[in-house]
């Protein structure tokens, strides 16, 4: 089985089927052993009726006790050996499935790490969770086909050969029976893939909504939007349930046909054999063997249908995993040198020009427009943005990340002591951490926790209020002390007093450093050296906050509205009004 530190290899992501085949090729010896164990096990099942027929014809019918004892002893030995084979087959296939499971987990985790911050922009959280929870297990289960599946094909061919020695007619019926069953079940398998694909997509969407709802439940309760979101969630759940019923309907037909068709098919074989025995064309012993073959044949036929069903679902799951693995992080041009000193950042798409060493604010009626500018300047989205006259996408990505930091107000917070949450992967001193927390006006958070900086914060900071989470994120960004800080709505969850304090301290902490904030708060805008007013994603006006208030009616209306809405916000309440308003809408 794959070791925890072993390289999982490079997966074949061209299609779901190719990904499954790659999993098989990564453990050829184990898969081959599973196929051998499964084949021999099923073939020996078919040997049992043959040995019984020999015991009847050679021992019981002529009264030869020695022959009867010999064939009976051989029958016992074969049964015992087959029991051991069954154990080995099961153990081997369990290892095959576990290897496929762990290998898929490793490549998926490796891909998410490789995508880094761009993952959220390329795949939804619900999609990733659904892959990790359901698709990985489904892929592993589908690899059953390499053991019992191959054994079923071999056993089917062997039984057909044994029946050929009894009667060519019986062999012909057996050989033609499974193709007929495949023609009946095949279209349903194709239909199942379509239904299953749609179901898994809806499941991913609903999983993401569950996460959003859990994270914002306190906000929604405070604003009275809980029932509205609950109604939307119930509607999505009902749609998913209806889609699940459609998947279940197809699945039930496949399972019903898988159980019923082999019985009808084998009943026909038994009836033909009985007619041949009555006509004297086969012996009594051969009739007994045919009965045995028919009973044994139910195993491979059922396995073939079951493997087809599992393989169909496995292809759907593998297709989703392959789609995730095909995602690529932002291209790393890597040819050009980064500016040797702080330089101008320019986004030609919006017209935003960020001067070095200045505090610049982006104000837009639609926050997504300002966020898009930050994504382009931070090189999280394809653009023609430049840095000191050099295209940003031509500079080595590592150099960009070292000097330009995008601080999202909804950035992830991992569980752990507050000190580690703020420090990130660095190793700052207590004084540095305290200085960053003070700059973010987060001193009271430390004082309110039982163990101060050593207090454990839950994942995503759910043990903190919305305003506290936002200040912790800001403190983490300030502690990193990047040359260029691009902060998205860093004070949207704070009350007016705390917001003014953060704005003043942030300006002092970042003096002489390039800082860009997206905000519509007049308290923050008034501290900015330069404000870009965006309309439809482009710069409509640039100047100081007070200058724009005097000359731009649109800007004045936007900022005045935000001032009215911002008054009741409280950092110790449950949170971010803007986020709640979007969730309720």
């Amino acid at each position: 089985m794959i070791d925890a530190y072993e390289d999982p290899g490079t997966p074949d992501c061209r299609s779901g089927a190719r990904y499954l085949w790659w999993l098989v090729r990564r453990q050829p010896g184990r898969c081959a052993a599973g196929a051998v164990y499964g084949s021999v096990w099923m073939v020996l099942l078919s040997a049992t009726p043959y040995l019984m027929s020999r015991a009847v014809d050679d021992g019981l019918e002529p009264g030869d006790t020695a022959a009867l004892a010999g064939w009976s002893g051989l029958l016992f030995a074969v049964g015992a050996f087959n029991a051991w084979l069954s154990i080995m087959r099961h153990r081997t296939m369990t290892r095959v499935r576990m290897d496929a499971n762990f290998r898929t987990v490793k490549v998926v985790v490796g891909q998410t790490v490789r995508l880094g911050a761009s993952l959220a922009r390329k795949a939804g959280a619900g999609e990733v969770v659904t892959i990790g929870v359901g698709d990985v297990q489904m892929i592993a289960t589908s690899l059953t086909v390499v053991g019992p599946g191959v054994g079923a094909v071999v056993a089917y061919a062997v039984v057909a050969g044994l029946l050929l020695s009894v009667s060519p007619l019986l062999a012909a019926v057996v050989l033609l029976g499974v193709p007929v069953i495949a023609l009946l079940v095949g279209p349903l398998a194709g239909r199942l893939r379509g239904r299953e694909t749609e179901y898994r997509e809806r499941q991913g969407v609903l999983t993401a909504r569950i996460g959003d709802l859990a994270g914002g439940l306190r906000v929604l309760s405070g604003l009275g939007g809980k029932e509205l979101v609950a109604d939307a969630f119930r509607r999505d759940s009902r749609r998913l349930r209806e889609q699940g019923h459609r998947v279940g309907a197809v699945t039930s037909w496949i399972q019903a046909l898988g159980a019923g068709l082999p019985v009808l098919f084998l009943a026909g074989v038994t009836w033909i054999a009985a007619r041949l025995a009555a006509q004297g064309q086969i012996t009594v012993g051969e009739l007994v063997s045919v009965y045995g073959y028919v009973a044994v044949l139910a195993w491979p036929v059922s396995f073939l249908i079951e493997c087809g069903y599992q393989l169909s679902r496995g292809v759907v799951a593998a297709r989703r995993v392959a789609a995730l693995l095909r995602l690529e992080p932002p291209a790393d041009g890597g040819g050009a040198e980064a500016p040797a000193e702080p330089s101008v950042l320019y986004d030609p798409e919006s017209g935003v020009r960020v001067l070095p060493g200045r505090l610049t604010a982006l104000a837009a009626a639609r926050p997504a427009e300002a966020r898009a500018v930050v994504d382009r300047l931070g090189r999280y989205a394809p653009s023609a943005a430049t840095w000191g006259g050099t295209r940003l996408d031509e500079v080595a990505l590592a150099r960009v990340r070292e000097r330009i930091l995008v601080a999202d107000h909804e950035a992830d917070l991992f569980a752990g002591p507050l000190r580690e949450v703020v420090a990130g992967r660095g190793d700052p001193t207590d004084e540095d951490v305290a200085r960053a927390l003070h700059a973010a006006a987060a001193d009271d958070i430390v004082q309110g926790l039982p163990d101060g900086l050593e207090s454990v914060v839950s994942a995503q900071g759910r043990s903190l209020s919305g305003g506290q989470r936002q200040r912790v994120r800001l403190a983490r960004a300030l502690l990193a002390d990047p040359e260029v800080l691009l902060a998205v709505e860093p004070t949207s969850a704070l009350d007016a007093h705390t917001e003014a304090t953060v704005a003043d301290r942030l300006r002092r902490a970042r003096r002489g450093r390039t800082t860009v904030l997206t905000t519509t708060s007049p308290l923050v805008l008034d501290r900015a050296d330069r404000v870009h007013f965006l309309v439809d994603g482009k710069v409509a006006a640039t100047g100081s906050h007070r200058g724009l208030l005097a000359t731009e009616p649109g800007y004045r209306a936007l900022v005045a509205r935000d001032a009215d809405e911002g008054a009741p916000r409280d950092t110790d309440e449950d949170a971010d009004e803007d986020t709640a308003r979007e969730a309720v809408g």
Side-chain angles (χ1 to χ4, degrees):
M1 203 182 323
I2 184 171
D3 184 81
Y5 301 99
E6 181 183 339
D7 179 11
T10 303
D12 189 340
C13 306
R14 289 174 291 178
S15 68
R18 290 178 182 273
Y19 180 80
L20 293 179
W21 178 237
W22 172 77
L23 289 176
V24 172
R25 289 187 289 109
R26 292 303 298 178
Q27 42 178 337
R30 192 178 294 121
C31 289
V36 170
Y37 285 136
S39 299
V40 176
W41 172 65
M42 284 201 175
V43 167
L44 288 182
L45 287 178
S46 61
T48 300
Y50 172 78
L51 295 175
M52 289 180 62
S53 69
R54 301 306 305 167
V56 172
D57 285 344
D58 298 345
L60 186 61
E61 190 172 347
D64 188 341
T65 304
L68 180 61
W71 286 113
S72 298
L74 185 57
L75 183 62
F76 175 80
V78 169
F81 180 67
N82 218 22
W84 176 82
L85 281 176
S86 178
I87 294 172
M88 297 305 298
R89 174 194 61 82
H90 182 76
R91 287 182 177 178
T92 303
M93 292 312 305
T94 298
R95 291 189 176 96
V96 169
R97 290 193 294 271
M98 292 180 68
D99 184 282
N101 190 316
F102 295 150
R103 196 176 298 274
T104 300
V105 168
K106 289 193 71 172
V107 296
V108 168
V109 171
Q111 173 70 346
T112 57
V113 172
R114 176 170 165 267
L115 291 173
S118 65
L119 174 64
R121 296 167 172 82
K122 294 176 178 291
E127 180 77 6
V128 178
V129 171
T130 302
I131 287 174
V133 172
D135 291 335
V136 171
Q137 184 63 38
M138 199 172 295
I139 288 171
T141 302
S142 69
L143 290 193
T144 301
V145 72
V146 303
V150 172
V153 173
V154 173
Y156 182 74
V158 169
V159 170
L162 291 172
L163 286 174
L164 182 62
S165 65
V166 176
S167 168
L169 176 60
L170 292 174
V173 171
V174 169
L175 289 174
L176 293 176
V178 168
V180 171
I181 293 176
L183 289 175
L184 293 173
V185 178
L188 288 175
R191 188 177 178 185
L192 175 64
R193 281 194 295 271
R195 300 285 193 189
E196 186 81 26
T197 299
E198 186 177 351
Y199 177 79
R200 303 298 286 179
E201 291 173 353
R202 286 186 180 274
Q203 190 178 37
V205 172
L206 191 62
T207 302
R209 181 157 295 185
I210 292 173
D212 294 341
L213 183 60
L217 189 59
R218 297 171 66 189
V219 179
L220 295 169
S221 298
L223 296 175
K226 183 170 64 175
E227 289 303 321
L228 185 62
V229 175
D231 289 340
F233 182 78
R234 277 192 288 268
R235 286 195 299 272
D236 287 344
S237 298
R238 185 165 54 251
R239 294 191 191 102
L240 180 64
R241 185 175 65 248
E242 291 170 355
Q243 186 63 31
H245 290 163
R246 296 188 186 98
V247 173
V250 179
T251 301
S252 64
W253 273 106
I254 292 177
Q255 292 178 340
L257 292 175
L261 287 179
V263 172
L264 295 176
F265 161 60
L266 298 175
V269 174
T270 303
W271 181 80
I272 293 173
R275 291 293 303 273
L276 293 176
Q279 296 169 4
Q281 297 183 31
I282 61 175
T283 66
V284 174
E286 289 173 334
L287 176 60
V288 172
S289 68
V290 170
Y291 284 146
Y293 295 146
V294 167
V296 169
L297 204 57
W299 282 82
V301 173
S302 296
F303 265 121
L304 287 175
I305 295 176
E306 177 66 19
C307 288
Y309 166 66
Q310 294 292 352
L311 190 60
S312 179
R313 302 188 71 196
V315 167
V316 172
R319 192 181 298 154
R320 289 162 53 83
V321 170
L324 176 66
L325 297 178
R326 284 197 299 269
L327 297 178
E328 291 294 333
D332 188 358
E337 291 293 330
E341 56 187 21
S343 302
V344 173
L345 274 171
Y346 175 60
D347 174 36
E349 186 171 335
S350 64
V352 169
R353 186 180 298 274
V354 179
L355 301 180
R358 308 288 291 277
L359 177 58
T360 303
L362 306 180
R366 291 191 288 269
E369 295 174 355
R371 169 63 182 269
V373 174
V374 169
D375 280 349
R376 292 193 291 269
L377 294 177
R379 198 176 156 185
Y380 283 104
S383 73
T386 61
W387 187 18
T390 303
R391 280 184 62 112
L392 199 60
D393 56 9
E394 293 178 357
V395 180
L397 186 60
R399 303 287 82 77
V400 175
R401 295 289 179 259
E402 286 174 358
R403 297 171 61 181
I404 301 177
L405 172 64
V406 175
D408 195 326
H409 71 300
E410 294 181 344
D412 292 328
L413 293 174
F414 296 100
L418 180 60
R419 181 196 309 278
E420 295 180 6
V421 172
V422 175
R425 62 181 180 181
D427 188 21
T429 63
D430 288 350
E431 291 74 16
D432 293 334
V433 174
R435 191 179 303 113
L437 289 167
H438 177 74
D443 314 76
D444 61 307
I445 300 176
V446 181
Q447 296 168 3
L449 294 174
D451 298 317
L453 287 175
E454 301 304 323
S455 299
V456 176
V457 177
S458 61
Q460 301 303 337
R462 292 193 176 95
S463 56
L464 305 174
S465 70
Q468 290 175 332
R469 288 196 295 270
Q470 195 166 53
R471 286 180 286 157
V472 167
R473 291 184 178 107
L474 180 58
R476 182 173 61 181
L478 293 173
L479 183 61
D481 194 27
E483 177 184 316
V484 179
L485 174 61
L486 309 176
V488 179
E489 299 287 347
T491 62
S492 60
L494 308 181
D495 64 273
H497 173 73
T498 307
E499 190 172 36
T501 302
V502 170
D504 287 332
R505 293 181 181 178
L506 175 62
R507 180 178 175 83
R508 287 196 298 270
R510 294 290 299 172
R511 182 176 289 114
R513 313 282 274 173
T514 306
T515 307
V516 178
L517 310 176
T518 71
T519 183
T520 55
S521 167
L523 294 172
V524 179
L525 292 168
D526 192 40
R527 272 76 170 177
D529 298 313
R530 183 184 179 94
V531 178
H532 290 298
F533 175 44
L534 304 179
V535 177
D536 295 329
K538 299 186 181 301
V539 175
T542 299
S544 68
H545 169 62
R546 297 179 186 275
L548 292 176
L549 280 176
T551 59
E552 287 293 327
Y555 178 82
R556 185 166 56 250
L558 172 65
V559 172
R561 181 191 65 184
D562 189 79
D564 292 340
E565 292 177 353
R569 288 182 296 178
D570 188 342
T571 187
D572 293 325
E573 291 296 329
D574 300 334
D576 185 344
E577 182 176 339
D578 295 333
T579 301
R581 191 162 53 239
E582 291 174 6
V584 174

